[in-house]
Amino acid sequence: MTQYILALDQGTTSSRAILFDHAGLPRGVAQREFRQIFPHSGWVEHDAGEIWQSQLAVAQQVLKENGVSAKDIAAIGITNQRETVVLWDRSSGEPVANAIVWQDHRTAGLCDDLREQGKGEIFQKKTGLVVDAYFSGTKLKWLLDNVPGARARAERGELAFGTVDSWLIYKLCGRHVADTSNASRTLLFNIHTMQWDEELLALLDVPASLLPEVVPSSGIVGNCTAELFGAPIPIAGIAGDQQAATFGQACHQPGMAKNTYGTGCFMLLNTGRQAIASRNNLLTTVGWTLNGQSDYMLEGSVFNAGAAVQWLRDGLGIINTSAEVEALAQSVPDTGGVFFVPAFAGLGAPYWDAYARGTIVGISRGTTKAHIARATLAGIAYQSADVLEAMQRDAAIALTELRVDGGAARNDLLMQFQADVLGVPVVRPTVTETTSLGAAYLAGLAVGYWQSQEEIAAQWQVEKRFEPVMSGDERNERLAQWRRAVQRSQQWLE
């Protein structure tokens, strides 16, 4: 049997490539950070060329460093930062502007206008999403309206739009496709008909000629160009990062949930073949399409999680590395009454307030950097608790455990506090690279490297389980104080 699956994990701040073996274990990894571009307050951009070059470089690096050739790779799986928009020239394959990143809020005003015109309900009904600057559709409209000549060129069929999965596949094999999980994050895709929606395209003034062909999350879409790795390799798995992590966590059955602690926090609950419309400001999204069937998810997005820890490092300079935050926070018994709402780019679910901003309340003369560090970790956990509460109301499912992954899931203090404020066990798996692993599993299933979802689920193993120890009264009191702090942060920008 071919030795490995190669997972390409294109994230918000870095590109990674990981080799997975048949047991679902990582056997080699390469990673490269790339530039974050901030042209104005609330704007975030990436150089799409740099995304591609960094992703290709780490893929070539991980093969070379581990003595692996293209013939040792059964398939490539791709997972990506979602909602980030790339617009490129079909003939040259070059971007016509910087990519607009999911965190970017330049279209908040346009979203306000759409909601005021009563269009929010149309989008929510068809896409499962709320009208927010977070999603791709309004970003694409902005590019068409603001890049000189872009709209005319788009109407002539000269340009192509894609989320990052589409961009990478175009560069790898020349096909213009997106999988259902990524398409479902654009505000342009009807998650019930599983097609691009003409009414939504008209509302955002997007020419249909720009759009990629929609394909399943598991299935061969093409072979990458031979010169990239020395021989063609089938590209057989695609999923947005959070859906990929849910698949990698083996949350294959309705009622199973995971939370990823990355730049942001993303909690997804599998609702099976049923697209449950949220009444609590959550998103309904496509999880994956496999063997002709699509599974749906309820999702809550927290915009700033690991980003808040990075701010302690880069903005305040109170830690030298992100890993130091745990020891600093552990040096005090509690937050000393301090609450930190890290709404740097607004608040996600269940608040959806693009005008909220980061807020620290409860500071006294006794407050130290350790209290701020501890409040930062607590703020991540509280935001996730808000999402889970909304999720349980929507799905009418009482969660029995939360599976966790992502960089900050390695922080034991944070995971224990998360279990305490949720009141359910938090379970960390042996392999925390679940985003990459999910992409690898989707690719491996398509080429017969793994035979079934049952085989994959059997490989999932617990590394540590965090049981809640906080009393119900204390939990409720802390959450009530947290929500007071959130109110202070809301609608800060006029």
Side-chain angles (χ1 to χ4, degrees), residues 2-181:
T2 318
Q3 285 179 280
Y4 303 108
I5 299 285
L6 173 63
L8 305 184
D9 183 349
Q10 205 301 300
T12 308
T13 57
S14 68
S15 297
R16 299 195 306 156
I18 302 184
L19 291 169
F20 285 99
D21 67 12
H22 200 262
L25 297 173
R27 292 300 182 191
V29 61
Q31 180 166 353
R32 181 174 295 190
E33 290 195 0
F34 56 89
R35 280 182 309 145
Q36 307 296 302
I37 303 164
F38 307 103
H40 302 285
S41 174
W43 292 30
V44 191
E45 295 180 355
H46 290 157
D47 177 337
E50 205 177 331
I51 286 177
W52 161 241
Q53 291 300 335
S54 64
Q55 189 63 75
L56 177 63
V58 291
Q60 292 171 335
Q61 180 187 341
V62 80
L63 297 187
K64 187 178 177 188
E65 286 178 353
N66 292 278
V68 171
S69 72
K71 67 177 185 298
D72 298 319
I73 307 294
I76 291 173
I78 294 173
T79 184
N80 55 285
Q81 54 165 319
R82 304 172 304 171
E83 296 97 14
T84 294
V85 169
V86 186
L87 188 63
W88 69 90
D89 181 300
R90 285 183 186 277
S91 56
S92 71
E94 291 301 309
V96 300
N98 278 341
I100 302 183
V101 181
W102 60 272
Q103 297 159 311
D104 187 286
H105 268 81
R106 74 186 67 181
T107 62
L110 169 58
C111 293
D112 290 344
D113 293 344
L114 287 165
R115 285 193 300 271
E116 282 162 19
Q117 293 160 23
K119 307 298 186 194
E121 202 177 326
I122 300 168
F123 282 99
Q124 189 153 19
K125 214 175 212 175
K126 292 188 170 195
T127 69
L129 309 177
V130 297
V131 174
D132 189 85
Y134 173 37
F135 303 107
S136 313
T138 60
K139 300 181 195 298
L140 175 55
K141 177 175 166 51
W142 190 94
L143 285 171
L144 294 174
D145 291 342
N146 289 275
V147 174
R151 184 166 288 287
R153 294 187 64 203
E155 282 163 1
R156 291 198 298 269
E158 295 171 13
L159 302 184
F161 147 75
T163 41
V164 171
D165 58 315
S166 301
W167 169 240
L168 292 179
I169 292 165
Y170 193 84
K171 299 300 275 186
L172 285 165
C173 74
R175 277 198 75 191
H176 186 208
V177 301
D179 93 297
T180 54
S181 75

Side-chain angles (χ1 to χ4, degrees), residues 392-468:
Q392 295 194 139
R393 285 201 303 268
D394 271 340
I397 296 170
L399 200 68
T400 53
E401 66 176 30
L402 180 68
R403 296 184 172 187
V404 297
D405 54 62
R410 298 189 189 95
N411 185 315
D412 284 4
L413 180 66
L414 172 58
M415 293 300 100
Q416 183 57 54
F417 191 73
Q418 186 71 84
D420 285 341
V421 296
L422 291 179
V424 297
V426 165
V427 187
R428 185 170 63 202
T430 307
V431 178
T432 55
E433 301 289 1
T434 54
T435 303
S436 309
L437 181 58
Y441 278 153
L442 288 164
L445 285 168
V447 296
Y449 186 82
W450 291 289
Q451 299 306 313
S452 68
Q453 286 174 252
E454 290 73 23
E455 180 187 355
I456 286 168
Q459 293 186 343
W460 187 88
Q461 291 178 326
V462 176
E463 184 260 322
K464 191 163 184 180
R465 190 176 176 91
F466 300 86
E467 296 286 348

